[in-house]
Amino acid sequence: MDATDLLPLLEQLDDNIDDLEEALKPILDGSVIETSKKLPVLDKAKFHVLVTYALESLLFSYLRLHGVNAREHPVFRELTRVKQYFAKITALETEPEKRTLTLDKQAAGRFIKHGLAGNEKIDLARKELEAKERARAQLKASLLAKKAEATSEKSSKNPESNSDSDDEEDAKPAPVAKPSDKGTSDDKKKKKRKDKKNKKNLNPEERQEVKKERRKKKGEMRKTKNLK
């Protein structure tokens, strides 16, 4: 290559170095530990990985410039190791995928049955359980059928019984009105009032005679009670 062709490349390199110095100035002015203290955990990991990658890449380019096969040098292995850390950080930054796996109960049951097959005791117990479950299901079905038949029969009989009861009620005679006791009580009260009025109109001699008659009646009533 001619010197004229190298000049623009050197100028570009000089500009890139100036840009790099400006970018690395805050890091170069202080220590790496002090600058990383202010950062959160994930950013701190990124910072350390980037610094090591920059140093290792500078060494790699330095070896290449001096004609050394850098791929066989330990620096190349360090670069690959740092790249693995980059992959780990990106995996942490990305959200974990939701699990779509679900348990197939039927398939699990089939596997368990096949695994337990061959044992006579287990096979007999399983058959007994299946037979019991079938018998229970048949009993439930028969009971439900009987209940349905009974309800249908009752519903068919109910309209006839209702019609018979209506006919019987129509055939019954109307209740006869009983004489009320109020009339008799009123008559008794009227008689007592008349007797009181008559007593007031009687003379004293007549009153004494009435009293004597009452006493006689009471005495006779007592005698009859004693005889009984």
Side-chain angles (χ1 to χ4, degrees):
M1 290 179 71
D2 295 332
T4 55
D5 296 330
L6 290 171
L7 286 172
L9 293 172
L10 290 170
E11 289 177 357
Q12 187 178 359
L13 179 62
D14 192 10
D15 294 333
N16 290 330
I17 290 167
D18 292 335
D19 294 333
L20 184 63
E21 285 178 353
E22 288 179 1
L24 295 173
K25 189 175 182 181
I27 299 168
L28 295 171
D29 290 340
S31 63
V32 176
I33 296 167
E34 289 178 357
T35 53
S36 64
K37 280 181 181 179
K38 300 175 183 178
L39 299 171
V41 178
L42 190 61
D43 292 334
K44 191 186 287 185
K46 285 181 184 179
F47 177 71
H48 285 290
V49 171
L50 286 169
V51 169
T52 53
Y53 186 77
L55 292 171
E56 297 293 337
S57 61
L58 286 170
L59 288 170
F60 183 80
S61 60
Y62 177 78
L63 292 170
R64 290 286 300 275
L65 287 170
H66 285 80
V68 179
N69 190 3
R71 290 184 178 275
E72 294 179 357
H73 198 272
V75 175
F76 185 73
R77 283 180 289 177
E78 289 294 323
L79 283 170
T80 54
R81 188 172 67 84
V82 172
K83 286 180 181 179
Q84 290 176 359
Y85 284 112
F86 276 120
K88 289 179 181 179
I89 290 164
T90 52
L92 288 170
E93 286 179 343
T94 55
E95 293 181 357
E97 294 181 357
K98 293 181 180 179
R99 293 183 179 180
T100 57
L101 295 173
T102 55
L103 180 63
D104 192 354
K105 292 181 180 179
Q106 293 179 355
R110 287 196 296 272
F111 280 117
I112 291 164
K113 284 180 181 178
H114 287 300
L116 295 172
N119 193 344
E120 293 180 356
K121 290 181 180 180
I122 293 167
D123 292 335
L124 288 169
R126 188 174 66 252
K127 287 178 181 178
E128 287 177 357
L129 286 171
E130 289 176 355
K132 286 179 181 179
E133 287 176 357
R134 287 174 186 171
R136 286 175 185 172
Q138 288 176 358
L139 282 170
K140 286 181 181 179
S142 61
L143 289 170
L144 290 170
K146 286 179 181 178
K147 285 181 181 179
E149 288 177 359
T151 51
S152 62
E153 287 176 359
K154 285 180 181 179
S155 61
S156 62
K157 287 179 180 179
N158 282 329
E160 293 177 359
S161 62
N162 290 327
S163 62
D164 294 335
S165 62
D166 293 334
D167 295 334
E168 287 176 358
E169 287 178 357
D170 294 332
K172 284 180 182 179
V176 180
K178 293 181 181 179
S180 62
D181 296 331
K182 289 182 180 180
T184 56
S185 61
D186 293 334
D187 294 334
K188 288 178 181 179
K189 287 178 181 179
K190 287 178 181 179
K191 286 180 181 179
K192 286 180 180 179
R193 287 173 186 173
K194 286 180 181 179
D195 293 333
K196 285 180 181 180
K197 286 179 181 179
N198 292 324
K199 285 178 183 178
K200 288 179 181 179
N201 295 322
L202 292 173
N203 295 322
E205 293 177 356
E206 291 176 350
R207 287 178 183 175
Q208 287 178 359
E209 289 178 357
V210 171
K211 286 179 181 179
K212 286 178 182 180
E213 288 177 359
R214 282 182 184 174
R215 287 173 185 172
K216 286 179 182 180
K217 287 180 181 179
K218 286 180 181 180
E220 289 175 357
M221 292 289 287
R222 287 174 185 172
K223 286 178 182 180
T224 53
K225 285 180 180 179
N226 291 323
L227 291 170
K228 288 179 180 179

